[in-house]
Amino acid sequence: LLEMDNNNNNWMNPPGGSNNATNNNQWAARPGNGNDQAPTNNNYVPNNYGHPPHMMNQNYGAPQQQQQQQQQPPQRQQIPPRTVSNMSSTSLSSAAAPPTTPTTSQKAPTDPIIADRAGDEETEDGRIRNKEAASKIRDAWIYKQIRARQDEFTKYQQGRIFVGTWNVNAKGKDENLSSWLCADWHQYGPPDIVVVGFQEMVDLNAVNVAVENKSQQRSQFWVDRIRSTLNSRENTMGDPMRAYTQIAVKYLVGLLVCVFVKAPHKPRLKYVGTDSVGVGVMGVMGNKGGVSIRLQFYDTTLCFVCTHLAAHRENVAGRNADFANVFSKTSFEIGEEAVSEVIRSGSLNKLSAGTSSVGISEHDISFWFGDLNYRVDESIPTERVLELSKANQLSELVEQDQLNVERAQGRVFQDWEEGQLTFKPTYKYQPGTDLYEERPDKKLRAPAWCDRVLWLAQEPGHVSQLNYVRSEINISDHKPVMSTFLVTIKDVVLSRRMQVHKEVIRLLDTFENNSLPMVSLDRIKLDFGEVRYDQRVTLPIIITNTGKVVAPFRLVPKLEEEALCKPWVTVSPAYGMLIPGEQTEIEVTITINNATAHALNTSREVLEDSLILRLENGRDYYISVSGKYARSCFGMSVDDLVLYTDPIRVVPLDPILRAEKYDLNTKAAMCVPKELWRIIDAIYERGLDERDLFSTPGNPDEVYQIRECLDTGAPFGNFSVHSMTEALQSFLSNLSSPVVPSSLFPTLDIDAQNIQSFARKFLEDMPPIQYNVFIYTISFFREVLLHRQGNRLSPAKIARICCTCLVSSAQGNGEEGAESLPKRRGNMQQIMLHFLETNSI
């Protein structure tokens, strides 16, 4: 980007750009395009250090369309869109983990309360005004208008950013890094920003994790190595204007991220911030986590996040949770002035006035890279993964890559993008060789694309990935990965921005100086009708400003309440501003999840709520929200389900009506829930020899219809056995209380000598209904294993399915409980395996 002439500091275009420079403050064409004088810098080498010829000329207004590149950039991963009408469409195959306790990234966003009700002021005529809320809403509207007109005061130019990541496995001495850091300079020219992340730069032993006694030394070692590589004589030709300057470094135990920029750009960098988040041992230690750097480059805000996520092939949920923790906890304290300038320039994706910090998503462009540790799904055996990796036959592996699967299901990296994986898996190699680790004395691991680079842009068209490749440096068990991006950089012209700001304020003032706000709502009663389990239903409300002045509005909590609405209701947007005649739509959504279904089934909740829409300096509008829950066996407990022989849909939710219809003081009507019997019996009928049983996902529409049949008592249709097995797993996983609570987890190690006694004690401690369900389910899976030659299931895989469906996912209490829970769950899996393989339960 924007290389600068050493004599006059003018901006310069790539060769072939337009020659429109008239003074030192304007964008200027690079010398050497045919009409200009030769550059005075004799060290200038246009073929190696100029911009690629496809870069556009700078101009006011939106960025011009990029010209056709000589070499096509890598294609982005094609991630299917998520459906929002029915959350049950998520598959429960082995390639996509069954539903678990929602992580931070899966929870519905909290409705923003922009001002406390303590600031409300009531006038003599009963009108209520909150000055803080009105000021914030006004600022938000001004920001929205300025952002819509940012092309009027912004110049655009394209530059290149290099992002590299490498898990060095605590190795590294004097290896040549040019094949990694400078591999594409001959094709695209030197990048304007170089960002490099490392993982495991020190051994992740207990001492290093606790005191970081080697981290500073090793981080300085790698920073020096990068600097010397970038600024080698071969690269700079002795010209200081071609050298790179270190901007920021952040490390955490084995993690390191550092940012270098070309020397001419350093004066235009500001508001640099760093942060680190540990998510390792006890959820806070630095053996796993993220280190981040953010900065403002000209007037574009950039964020770089380097992470090392949870290991082990089966631990997909742990990696998803680590991502959510790093994403939500990373925050950069840059000061209110910096935040205000970002807002004025139209760069922040949401208004944060009054705060002095920004998060990862509140940047124009964010990059996330590192050893994300996502593997190839376990449905492909390790030996097969090795065979395909060595043969460079990647399509099957890419399809079953866990990160691709989790992104497609919307469980992680929502809205982030990644280039196509066209290089061989980067892990696990024999250090010092280009061979995958297959030595007999080492644990055999399936090769995987652990090392990744993703990006998130407010304007997707402002980022283009030029390449996404790996290096062949072989000192570690990981290969380095790198990617170069062509990005659009903004440069705000302050005088023009001030003019736009004045015009917006002048427009606003013409309306604010009149009388009180008035709006009309097309409805104030929202009846959602019958709402089913695991569904989202949305109804709109159209608000029209019928007055002659601006109408700031917001939702406020009810008296003596803190939330805007009940947990099962979400409203978007929760506030806004309308100029006269303007119209907007508010969406009110009801979501029935496990927690809400349990509260409805136990009569602790009803689908009724009210919303208060307040006009600042105006009146309140009351909106009623109601619905009828179509009762479902999903989200209930087995203790409740065995009480009723009728379909659960006809069992009243009202406890009085339920008591009149059923004698709940008698013993359970059934040994196991009829719904469990029906679905297992249906799977028997459809055959247990079906190939890839419990691995192939079912049809989402069929799974929904199966749930309706279970709830209404209707006979099953001609559904596939894979849809039936997915419905079975979903039913067991979504019980309000698990069949096997964590209190029954073994507290001691399990071995061949004591497993029989542990298994006996385990059964003795189970409550009667849970005992029946457990024995019934295990007996079914034992029958499934008799057909293993057809369905290709193994006892170990069935044991994992049993743990997922039957065992509590609750975390341990305190530090000791949290640390021992994975081990106890492992013991629980051994017991499941014992029940599946023993001669007699």
Side-chain angles (χ1 to χ4, degrees):
L1 169 91
L2 322 174
E3 289 207 18
M4 304 183 74
D5 185 289
N6 292 339
N7 295 321
N8 56 21
N9 290 336
N10 279 346
W11 293 101
M12 295 198 216
N13 281 332
S18 63
N19 182 13
N20 58 0
T22 57
N23 57 57
N24 291 353
N25 294 322
Q26 290 182 327
W27 304 86
R30 174 180 293 282
N33 63 0
N35 298 322
D36 301 304
Q37 297 297 321
T40 56
N41 180 0
N42 294 329
N43 291 325
Y44 169 65
V45 184
N47 290 334
N48 292 332
Y49 291 89
H51 297 293
H54 59 267
M55 289 178 56
M56 69 172 203
N57 298 334
Q58 71 293 332
N59 207 337
Y60 286 117
Q64 302 173 15
Q65 191 71 24
Q66 297 180 19
Q67 300 177 14
Q68 182 68 32
Q69 301 178 9
Q70 295 178 358
Q71 179 177 348
Q72 291 293 333
Q75 298 296 315
R76 297 172 182 171
Q77 299 277 17
Q78 297 300 315
I79 302 299
R82 299 173 58 193
T83 59
V84 296
S85 59
N86 193 323
M87 294 184 290
S88 296
S89 59
T90 300
S91 171
L92 285 174
S93 68
S94 61
T100 60
T101 301
T103 64
T104 302
S105 64
Q106 295 169 306
K107 294 181 180 177
T110 303
D111 295 309
I113 302 176
I114 64 169
D116 194 273
R117 290 195 63 170
D120 291 355
E121 301 175 357
E122 186 171 358
T123 61
E124 293 181 357
D125 58 359
R127 292 183 288 111
I128 298 175
R129 178 177 177 82
N130 188 305
K131 294 182 179 179
E132 179 187 359
S135 176
K136 288 187 175 181
I137 293 173
R138 186 178 189 273
D139 289 343
W141 186 86
I142 293 172
Y143 156 71
K144 180 181 177 181
Q145 305 305 311
I146 291 178
R147 178 174 177 81
R149 297 178 59 181
Q150 64 179 331
D151 289 343
E152 298 179 29
F153 55 80
T154 305
K155 294 179 179 179
Y156 294 92
Q157 180 74 319
Q158 291 185 323
R160 295 179 301 281
I161 297 178
F162 171 92
V163 178
T165 177
W166 189 13
N167 183 323
V168 295
N169 195 24
K171 296 178 173 60
K173 292 183 179 180
D174 54 0
E175 298 77 14
N176 189 330
L177 303 182
S178 295
S179 62
W180 175 34
L181 302 179
C182 312
D184 59 0
W185 287 23
H186 67 284
Q187 184 176 3
Y188 303 114
D192 302 287
I193 299 178
V194 174
V195 185
V196 183
F198 292 95
Q199 305 83 47
E200 293 191 40
M201 62 175 179
V202 298
D203 284 323
L204 299 183
N205 54 46
V207 175
N208 288 337
V209 172
V211 298
E212 297 190 14
N213 60 338
K214 294 183 180 179
S215 298
Q216 182 175 4
Q217 174 187 352
R218 293 301 293 171
S219 67
Q220 189 60 50
F221 166 81
W222 284 112
V223 170
D224 291 342
R225 291 289 313 282
I226 296 170
R227 182 188 295 108
S228 62
T229 301
L230 297 177
N231 294 334
S232 66
R233 179 74 182 180
E234 178 184 356
N235 290 336
T236 64
M237 311 288 277
D239 182 1
M241 300 305 289
R242 301 179 190 211
Y244 286 86
T245 302
Q246 174 186 320
I247 298 301
V249 172
K250 188 66 176 178
Y251 65 85
L252 174 69
V253 189
L255 281 166
L256 167 68
V257 63
C258 52
V259 175
F260 290 80
V261 301
K262 277 187 176 180
H265 302 314
K266 186 177 181 181
R268 296 301 304 272
L269 268 86
K270 56 183 175 180
Y271 303 132
V272 178
T274 64
D275 193 21
S276 63
V277 175
V279 296
V281 179
M282 299 181 291
V284 296
M285 299 301 286
N287 58 309
K288 293 292 187 292
V291 288
S292 310
I293 296 175
R294 65 90 55 196
L295 52 87
Q296 183 169 320
F297 186 59
Y298 295 85
D299 291 290
T300 292
T301 54
L302 303 172
C303 181
F304 306 100
V305 186
C306 172
T307 59
H308 192 185
L309 306 185
H312 304 303
R313 192 177 184 186
E314 71 281 0
N315 194 16
V316 179
R319 286 184 277 279
N320 293 354
D322 285 353
F323 162 79
N325 280 326
V326 173
F327 184 85
S328 62
K329 293 179 181 178
T330 298
S331 179
F332 304 96
E333 189 71 26
I334 60 176
E336 292 186 14
E337 179 183 352
V339 173
S340 298
E341 180 173 337
V342 170
I343 293 173
R344 286 195 300 269
S345 299
S347 294
L348 213 55
N349 67 347
K350 65 179 181 180
L351 180 68
S352 297
T355 67
S356 58
S357 62
V358 291
I360 293 173
S361 62
E362 297 173 303
H363 292 82
D364 289 316
I365 307 172
S366 301
F367 297 92
W368 192 300
F369 49 95
D371 182 358
L372 308 189
N373 251 325
Y374 286 92
R375 314 299 175 89
V376 175
D377 187 74
E378 292 177 290
S379 59
I380 304 181
T382 299
E383 293 77 8
R384 175 66 173 167
V385 179
L386 275 165
E387 176 187 346
L388 294 174
S389 298
K390 290 189 289 186
N392 201 24
Q393 298 175 3
L394 307 180
S395 57
E396 181 180 351
L397 303 182
V398 171
E399 181 180 347
Q400 294 298 319
D401 172 74
Q402 291 173 347
L403 180 55
N404 288 342
V405 172
E406 294 302 295
R407 288 179 61 215
Q409 298 296 340
R411 288 190 283 263
V412 72
F413 283 102
Q414 295 91 336
D415 301 323
W416 291 74
E417 298 187 60
E418 185 187 22
Q420 194 73 26
L421 296 172
T422 59
F423 50 88
K424 293 200 296 185
T426 56
Y427 173 85
K428 179 180 185 178
Y429 283 86
Q430 298 180 29
T433 75
D434 292 320
L435 304 175
Y436 285 111
E437 181 61 84
E438 297 182 85
R439 290 175 290 182
D441 58 328
K442 300 292 183 179
K443 182 176 180 179
L444 187 64
R445 297 185 185 273
W449 287 282
C450 292
D451 312 282
R452 313 288 276 268
V453 179
L454 298 93
W455 73 93
L456 175 70
Q458 289 192 36
E459 298 291 343
H462 284 191
V463 180
S464 175
Q465 190 176 46
L466 299 178
N467 62 11
Y468 189 22
V469 295
R470 74 177 204 177
S471 171
E472 299 304 321
I473 301 177
N474 61 15
I475 62 169
S476 171
D477 55 356
H478 290 250
K479 296 291 187 181
V481 169
M482 61 276 203
S483 182
T484 299
F485 297 88
L486 191 66
V487 298
T488 299
I489 302 299
K490 299 186 293 186
D491 190 34
V492 170
V493 182
L494 295 179
S495 60
R496 294 181 66 90
R497 185 180 71 183
M498 291 177 61
Q499 181 63 32
V500 170
H501 186 267
K502 288 179 180 179
E503 292 173 4
V504 171
I505 297 299
R506 190 180 302 118
L507 173 66
L508 186 57
D509 287 343
T510 60
F511 298 109
E512 284 185 330
N513 294 331
N514 293 323
S515 57
L516 301 176
M518 295 179 61
V519 300
S520 66
L521 280 65
D522 68 331
R523 61 171 121 181
I524 58 173
K525 292 184 178 180
L526 296 178
D527 186 355
F528 285 81
E530 197 170 61
V531 184
R532 285 168 168 72
Y533 173 84
D534 207 17
Q535 261 192 337
R536 293 191 182 103
V537 184
T538 299
L539 291 177
I541 298 176
I542 298 177
I543 305 176
T544 305
N545 186 346
T546 57
K548 297 181 180 181
V549 298
V550 293
F553 65 87
R554 61 185 172 114
L555 289 169
V556 298
K558 295 176 279 292
L559 288 175
E560 299 181 359
E561 293 188 10
E562 296 182 355
L564 298 179
C565 50
K566 291 185 176 181
W568 44 269
V569 179
T570 56
V571 185
S572 177
Y575 62 89
M577 176 181 282
L578 300 173
I579 63 175
E582 188 178 3
Q583 193 176 81
T584 192
E585 186 177 276
I586 291 179
E587 291 187 343
V588 181
T589 301
I590 285 183
T591 305
I592 306 298
N593 57 19
N594 244 29
T596 302
H598 183 57
L600 291 168
N601 287 323
T602 54
S603 303
R604 292 184 290 108
E605 182 63 280
V606 291
L607 291 184
E608 293 180 359
D609 196 9
S610 60
L611 308 174
I612 303 176
L613 181 71
R614 172 162 298 167
L615 285 185
E616 295 306 319
N617 200 30
R619 58 164 289 192
D620 287 348
Y621 296 81
Y622 295 88
I623 304 168
S624 65
V625 178
S626 63
K628 181 181 179 183
Y629 177 50
R631 197 170 193 180
S632 174
C633 59
F634 285 66
M636 294 185 66
S637 67
V638 293
D639 299 278
D640 290 334
L641 289 172
V642 296
L643 296 176
Y644 310 107
T645 56
D646 291 338
I648 202 66
R649 182 66 55 80
V650 304
V651 177
L653 287 170
D654 185 281
I656 298 177
L657 296 177
R658 193 163 62 244
E660 293 175 352
K661 187 174 182 179
Y662 302 98
D663 184 3
L664 302 181
N665 294 320
T666 61
K667 293 183 179 180
M670 295 167 289
C671 296
V672 298
K674 60 185 178 301
E675 293 82 5
L676 178 63
W677 177 86
R678 285 191 65 194
I679 195 167
I680 286 181
D681 185 63
I683 295 173
Y684 268 111
E685 292 179 355
R686 284 159 176 77
L688 302 181
D689 291 306
E690 182 73 20
R691 185 173 179 177
D692 293 329
L693 200 65
F694 288 95
S695 297
T696 301
N699 183 299
D701 291 335
E702 289 189 358
V703 174
Y704 171 79
Q705 294 176 45
I706 291 168
R707 185 169 64 211
E708 282 294 295
C709 292
L710 292 174
D711 293 337
T712 61
F716 291 130
N718 187 25
F719 304 132
S720 75
V721 69
H722 297 298
S723 297
M724 300 298 293
T725 58
E726 182 168 333
L728 172 62
Q729 293 180 80
S730 179
F731 170 76
L732 293 172
S733 300
N734 288 293
L735 292 170
S736 62
S737 56
V739 176
V740 181
S742 58
S743 59
L744 294 183
F745 285 15
T747 56
L748 301 176
D749 290 340
I750 298 292
D751 54 35
Q753 285 71 36
N754 61 18
I755 193 169
Q756 185 70 36
S757 60
F758 268 120
R760 186 179 301 110
K761 182 71 165 55
F762 169 80
L763 293 178
E764 291 173 353
D765 291 343
M766 292 190 76
I769 301 301
Q770 283 76 6
Y771 174 91
N772 292 342
V773 172
F774 180 80
I775 293 297
Y776 187 69
T777 306
I778 289 295
S779 299
F780 164 69
F781 280 120
R782 286 165 62 91
E783 183 69 23
V784 170
L785 286 174
L786 296 179
H787 300 260
R788 70 183 69 180
Q789 288 187 348
N791 57 42
R792 302 199 306 182
L793 286 171
S794 66
K797 186 164 186 176
I798 292 293
R800 287 197 299 271
I801 294 174
C802 289
C803 277
T804 300
C805 296
L806 302 177
V807 177
S808 169
S809 60
Q811 298 299 309
N813 297 321
E815 297 179 1
E816 182 178 352
E819 292 179 357
S820 62
L821 185 62
K823 187 175 183 180
R824 295 173 66 192
R825 286 180 64 87
N827 291 337
M828 192 70 252
Q829 187 164 320
Q830 292 188 51
I831 290 180
M832 295 289 182
L833 190 61
H834 171 75
F835 283 126
L836 292 169
E837 293 184 319
T838 187
N839 293 330
S840 172
I841 297 181

